[in-house]
Amino acid sequence: MSEPSPHTSEPTRPLTGLRVLDLATLFAGPLAATMLGDFGAEVVKIEHPRVPDPSRGHGPSKDGIGLWWKLLGRNKRTMTLDLSAPGGRATLLRLAASADVIVENFRPGTLEKWDLGWDELSAANPRLVLTRVTGFGQFGPYARRPGFGTLAEAMSGFAAITGEPDAPPTLPPFGLADSIAGLATAYAVMTALAARDRTGRGQVVDMAIIEPILTVLGPQPLWYDQLGHVQPRTGNRSQNNAPRNTYRTAEGTWVAVSTSAQSIAERVMRLVGRPDLIDEPWFATGEDRARHSDVLDEAVGGWIARHTRAEVVEAFERAQAAVAPVQDVRDVMTDPQYTALDTITTVDDPELGPLRMQNVLFRLTDTPGAIRWAGRPHGADTDAVLTELGLTETEIKTLRAEGAL
């Protein structure tokens, strides 16, 4: 997939014509803006002139260029603007007047401190959707606390149910809550825009990172409300079905087995040579099978331990039972299913050359999304964006002298 210039014309995509100002950093807000850009929205990433988005320095880099930013900043034009400076404030209001969406993740009250709150922004553009992504939301006792995804993973109940029963609660080694919130934020933006199509007016989206992860954890609050049930840590096992675990193969690799459906559980037991267990009274339901996980894991794990990963996957496929290899990123990059889907695609980048990264989130048959370019240098499009806004060369020089750019 070649990398066109951010200034060249593009085919019409589902969100072509949608204008988004991305003021957010680390990571939920920017990810939502990335997903909008993937499907054609014109996204302008606005960073502080002297303090770039921290994602530019997160994780490994090559030749001094952060690789995480290449993913998170894709399909975005980049400009600098100090919103706390008078010229920066005035410029943002001019940008907002022709924008559809602003995504920000400052602590509640920060935009208001700069006289850039909802009252000022909606006065500049009544059709604007202001999307506010924070750790804890815009109100409540925690609203002004610093908020990160890690705190959401702890508060939501995720960490409490993750890990082995006799081990500490486990946090994910990646931005899980932020990523879930990014997906939810993109959905919230599109919902607000659909409402705008009917009413003609924009509104505020209040996204608290602690909430979407709680939603995807399933019916835990309902279980507790109705039954007083508190889900414990069970490692790789499930309280709802068995066998369900990771198992070591003959050559020391691992596979994961799931038997959420009764028919699959029966196929697995026939495959591993233990059809007798199917006739046990407790085998009839997933919950009862889960109470006998030791017996089932011994049967499945013993069989898998005598076979290579390739043999296990082939046998399970023949039996129409559910199995997957436990893959690291090296396996993902060569997995034939991911290859067929073009899940990992190649983007040409002027700074680093060909880059392989995750493709757009889903496929549309008629108006597909695309990665048009990877994350661009800090402020690379500042002058171009301001010129398109109607600022003269003299006005741009004045803003730069003021420190607003």
Side-chain angles (χ1 to χ4, degrees):
M1 184 178 296
S2 63
E3 183 260 355
S5 164
H7 310 292
T8 58
S9 60
E10 277 287 304
T12 299
R13 304 195 187 279
L15 301 182
T16 294
L18 187 72
R19 304 190 69 185
V20 179
L21 303 178
D22 176 8
L23 313 183
T25 59
L26 293 180
F27 284 98
L31 179 58
T34 300
M35 288 187 285
L36 298 175
D38 283 350
F39 286 89
E42 179 192 339
V43 181
V44 176
K45 173 71 175 182
I46 298 177
E47 300 172 80
H48 193 281
R50 292 162 292 281
V51 186
D53 188 318
S55 67
R56 291 182 180 273
H58 258 59
S61 62
K62 180 181 178 182
D63 299 334
I65 300 169
L67 296 176
W68 202 329
W69 167 252
K70 287 295 179 183
L71 176 68
L72 193 63
R74 73 189 192 191
N75 291 335
K76 299 178 184 181
R77 301 171 73 188
T78 62
M79 68 170 291
T80 60
L81 201 60
D82 183 350
L83 304 182
S84 67
R89 174 187 180 277
T91 302
L92 182 69
L93 289 174
R94 290 182 66 171
L95 288 164
S98 59
D100 297 287
V101 179
I102 288 180
V103 182
E104 63 97 358
N105 69 339
F106 299 107
R107 286 198 214 179
T110 301
L111 282 183
E112 286 74 10
K113 179 180 66 176
W114 297 330
D115 292 326
L116 287 170
W118 175 239
D119 290 344
E120 291 81 10
L121 290 169
S122 61
N125 181 357
R127 292 175 56 81
L128 183 70
V129 172
L130 175 60
T131 308
R132 317 194 79 165
V133 185
T134 57
F136 306 104
Q138 294 295 309
F139 56 90
Y142 303 164
R144 293 183 180 270
R145 290 183 182 179
F148 297 99
T150 297
L151 308 187
E153 290 145 12
M155 282 184 60
S156 63
F158 171 84
I161 65 170
T162 304
E164 296 298 326
D166 56 351
T170 300
L171 295 167
F174 66 101
L176 176 64
D178 275 307
S179 298
I180 296 171
L183 290 164
T185 301
Y187 165 62
V189 166
M190 299 310 298
T191 301
L193 291 171
R196 188 187 71 175
D197 287 344
R198 293 196 305 273
T199 66
R201 294 193 61 82
Q203 60 184 302
V204 176
V205 172
D206 178 6
M207 177 62 68
I209 296 173
I210 61 172
E211 292 183 305
I213 187 172
L214 182 57
T215 297
V216 303
L217 286 176
Q220 287 189 53
L222 185 60
W223 286 341
Y224 180 75
D225 175 65
Q226 295 296 303
L227 303 172
H229 175 72
V230 178
Q231 184 174 342
R233 288 191 292 284
T234 56
N236 290 323
R237 289 178 171 177
S238 168
Q239 291 185 305
N240 304 312
N241 66 82
R244 193 265 196 183
N245 213 328
T246 57
Y247 304 94
R248 193 179 181 96
T249 67
E251 79 268 53
T253 59
W254 295 83
V255 296
V257 172
S258 176
T259 57
S260 295
Q262 180 71 22
S263 59
I264 299 294
E266 294 175 5
R267 291 171 193 167
V268 170
M269 301 323 298
R270 293 190 185 99
L271 171 63
V272 302
R274 293 300 307 272
D276 56 297
L277 294 177
I278 300 173
D279 298 326
E280 294 287 347
W282 50 260
F283 199 87
T285 70
E287 189 174 351
D288 283 340
R289 292 200 310 274
R291 295 191 182 99
H292 294 79
S293 290
D294 287 344
V295 174
L296 296 171
D297 278 346
E298 182 179 0
V300 176
W303 184 88
I304 288 176
R306 298 192 297 272
H307 296 81
T308 66
R309 186 170 77 174
E311 290 169 343
V312 171
V313 171
E314 182 181 359
F316 268 70
E317 187 171 347
R318 285 200 310 269
Q320 298 184 51
V323 70
V326 176
Q327 300 188 147
D328 63 21
V329 68
R330 294 168 295 187
D331 302 311
V332 168
M333 300 296 269
T334 59
D335 181 277
Q337 183 62 32
Y338 282 134
T339 299
L341 296 174
D342 195 29
T343 305
I344 304 296
T345 196
T346 300
V347 181
D348 290 330
D349 181 69
E351 292 185 290
L352 296 177
L355 304 174
R356 287 192 292 170
M357 64 174 68
Q358 299 96 314
N359 208 337
V360 300
L361 193 59
F362 51 87
R363 286 163 293 281
L364 296 177
T365 55
D366 293 340
T367 55
I371 304 173
R372 292 163 285 162
W373 59 84
R376 288 171 57 72
H378 181 229
D381 303 294
T382 301
D383 287 12
V385 171
L386 295 179
T387 299
E388 292 166 11
L389 188 62
L391 273 69
T392 66
E393 184 177 345
T394 299
E395 288 174 311
I396 294 172
K397 286 181 179 178
T398 299
L399 287 171
R400 191 161 276 121
E402 176 190 324
L405 301 182

